[in-house]
Amino acid sequence: MTAWLLDPGVLHLNHGSFGATPAAVLEAQQRIQERIELNPTQFFLEGEYQERLDQTRRAVARFVGADEAGLVFVTNATAGVNGVLRSLEPSLKPGDEILVTDHEYNACANAAVVSASRAGAVVTTAQVPFPLEHRRDVVDAVLAAVTDRTRVLLIDAVTSATGLVLPVAELAAQLEPDVRVLVDAAHAPGMIDFDVARLGASYVTANCHKWMCSAKGAAFLWVRPDRRDDVYPAVISHGYNGGWPSAGGHLHAQFDWTGTHDPSAWLTIPDALAAVEAMHPDGWPGVRSAIRELCLRGRDVLIEALSIEPSAPADMIGAIASVPLPSAAHSGSAIFDPLMGALRDRHGIEVPVFTWPAPPDRVLRISAHLYNQPGDYDRLAEALAAELGA
């Protein structure tokens, strides 16, 4: 674990929530911060910031299959979702619908509710089964919830609580352009083979601090060419009236400067891509394959320990996977089950246990990255047996 700063006394099985940043990337971030502080005026106002941001944009665009003109940076995928939804509010009419699934990340579902309420629109929910047997179950559930008033579909590329890789491209192919598809791809880049342009969606936002392992606070938003003129960040700044001298077109002018902030997390993304690529002899394809195989192995261990069937087919699993746990009468938290604290405090294991879809039902979600080992999941299974009385 020398490449990482993770506490060696804790078993970390929760990469999916916040990522983990290699030590070399944090060192690169510190160098950037020191450079800024040497002369902030020079860095921000005399071209260096914009030049380094554009270099980072090129690296990210190559990695995720995007064109540079449509790619901008935000602090996290939630900020990207908020920017798009706020931009869409003027086009929504009373009675229009924003469609989400019941697996949608709570923060982004909340953003949909607020934008809908401002416009007099409503949020509707597609009930996606879990456990499920086939990708088609997702497509059928979402399409069944589409009506002639559906204007936007907000959907995860990889769901947070349930760890499912959703068939976004299939849905976009059937819904676009009549229904604008906004993809919350928070977990996707670095975890699965991911190409934003091939998804066919209007908007794609994703984190770089999760599976790409940049410093925390780095994410991007990509907008399809025909949708770019009317998209703005949630924070309006100098670019709105041409006050920020970006040469990259409308999107860059709006998003590249939304006020003074620390851009070092964004600027570490190329360092992160290089650092993680060097950790596997086959580079990023090898990384993705290794962490997926490790996750599937961990899921198999838990399935056997809990004497349950798989909750989803293997082709819907990336490097995070969730398994249902026995219901618990004490599972009263809106988000996390007390079992999560017990696993941490009594067994030294950090792994999320969500009350999902609502108490008393709950799921446990494992993650895998290169700092994990197969035996980690055996240890988790032993701890679960002790806590559940198996």
Side-chain angles (χ1 to χ4, degrees):
M1 205 183 292
T2 55
W4 311 83
L5 298 183
L6 293 164
D7 182 351
V10 176
L11 179 54
H12 298 272
L13 300 180
N14 190 23
H15 188 93
S17 284
F18 305 105
T21 308
V25 179
L26 294 173
E27 292 167 2
Q29 183 180 29
Q30 184 174 1
R31 290 193 297 270
I32 294 167
Q33 291 170 329
E34 290 173 350
R35 166 64 193 95
I36 293 171
E37 294 308 320
L38 283 173
N39 192 333
T41 302
Q42 181 186 51
F43 182 85
F44 286 116
L45 297 184
E46 296 184 22
E48 184 174 350
Y49 163 71
Q50 190 68 53
E51 180 180 350
R52 294 186 70 157
L53 189 66
D54 289 339
Q55 291 171 353
T56 299
R57 192 184 339 259
R58 284 193 287 274
V60 175
R62 287 193 299 270
F63 188 74
V64 302
D67 63 299
E68 296 171 35
L71 191 142
V72 291
F73 293 102
V74 290
T75 54
N76 49 59
T78 303
V81 167
N82 273 267
V84 171
L85 290 175
R86 289 292 299 273
S87 299
L88 289 174
E89 287 175 15
S91 69
L92 296 174
K93 298 177 176 58
D96 284 349
E97 297 171 355
I98 299 174
L99 175 62
V100 302
T101 79
D102 56 344
H103 294 243
E104 181 57 49
Y105 187 57
N106 181 61
C108 295
N110 286 341
V113 169
V114 171
S115 282
S117 66
R118 288 193 182 112
V122 295
V123 173
T124 58
T125 304
Q127 304 295 322
V128 173
F130 184 81
L132 76 172
E133 296 183 355
H134 196 275
R135 295 163 62 90
R136 186 71 205 178
D137 296 340
V138 179
V139 175
D140 291 344
V142 172
L143 294 182
V146 174
T147 74
D148 60 359
R149 300 307 304 268
T150 305
R151 299 292 177 260
V152 182
L153 169 65
L154 168 60
I155 190 166
D156 290 342
V158 182
T159 61
S160 179
T162 48
L164 300 174
V165 179
L166 298 186
V168 172
E170 292 96 315
L171 288 166
Q174 298 198 52
L175 295 176
E176 289 276 3
D178 296 332
V179 175
R180 300 182 185 221
V181 177
L182 165 55
V183 181
D184 175 5
H187 291 278
M191 184 217 283
I192 60 176
D193 188 10
F194 186 70
D195 186 299
V196 299
R198 287 207 301 263
L199 290 178
S202 290
Y203 320 94
V204 180
T205 185
N207 289 322
C208 303
H209 55 246
K210 288 186 184 279
W211 305 94
M212 293 165 66
C213 298
S214 75
K216 290 167 181 60
F220 69 84
L221 168 67
W222 177 84
V223 183
R224 205 172 63 201
D226 58 313
R227 306 296 197 195
R228 290 174 188 170
D229 289 345
D230 298 323
V231 175
Y232 297 87
V235 175
I236 299 298
S237 189
H238 292 294
Y240 187 77
N241 65 352
W244 180 254
S246 173
H250 168 80
L251 278 181
H252 294 189
Q254 304 306 314
F255 283 84
D256 284 1
W257 183 268
T258 56
T260 302
H261 72 295
D262 181 357
S264 61
W266 294 351
L267 302 182
T268 64
I269 300 172
D271 299 280
L273 292 174
V276 178
E277 181 177 43
M279 292 180 184
H280 196 283
D282 295 326
W284 270 102
V287 171
R288 290 191 294 267
S289 177
I291 61 178
R292 180 174 184 269
E293 290 175 8
L294 186 57
C295 180
L296 287 171
R297 193 269 183 192
R299 187 180 75 146
D300 288 344
V301 168
L302 295 180
I303 286 171
E304 181 176 358
L306 295 167
S307 300
I308 60 175
E309 295 296 321
S311 301
D315 66 359
M316 294 185 70
I317 301 298
I320 55 174
S322 292
V323 294
L325 295 177
S327 298
H330 63 267
S331 181
S333 168
I335 302 176
F336 296 110
D337 186 85
L339 177 60
M340 180 176 174
L343 291 169
R344 178 186 61 246
D345 298 338
R346 291 199 280 265
H347 304 276
I349 301 174
E350 285 287 4
V351 64
V353 181
F354 300 103
T355 54
W356 192 93
D361 295 326
R362 53 189 181 162
V363 295
L364 179 146
R365 189 192 74 190
I366 58 171
S367 298
H369 214 289
L370 296 178
Y371 51 80
N372 292 123
Q373 303 292 329
D376 294 348
Y377 306 96
D378 297 315
R379 179 176 158 188
L380 173 61
E382 293 171 2
L384 278 176
E387 292 300 323
L388 298 177

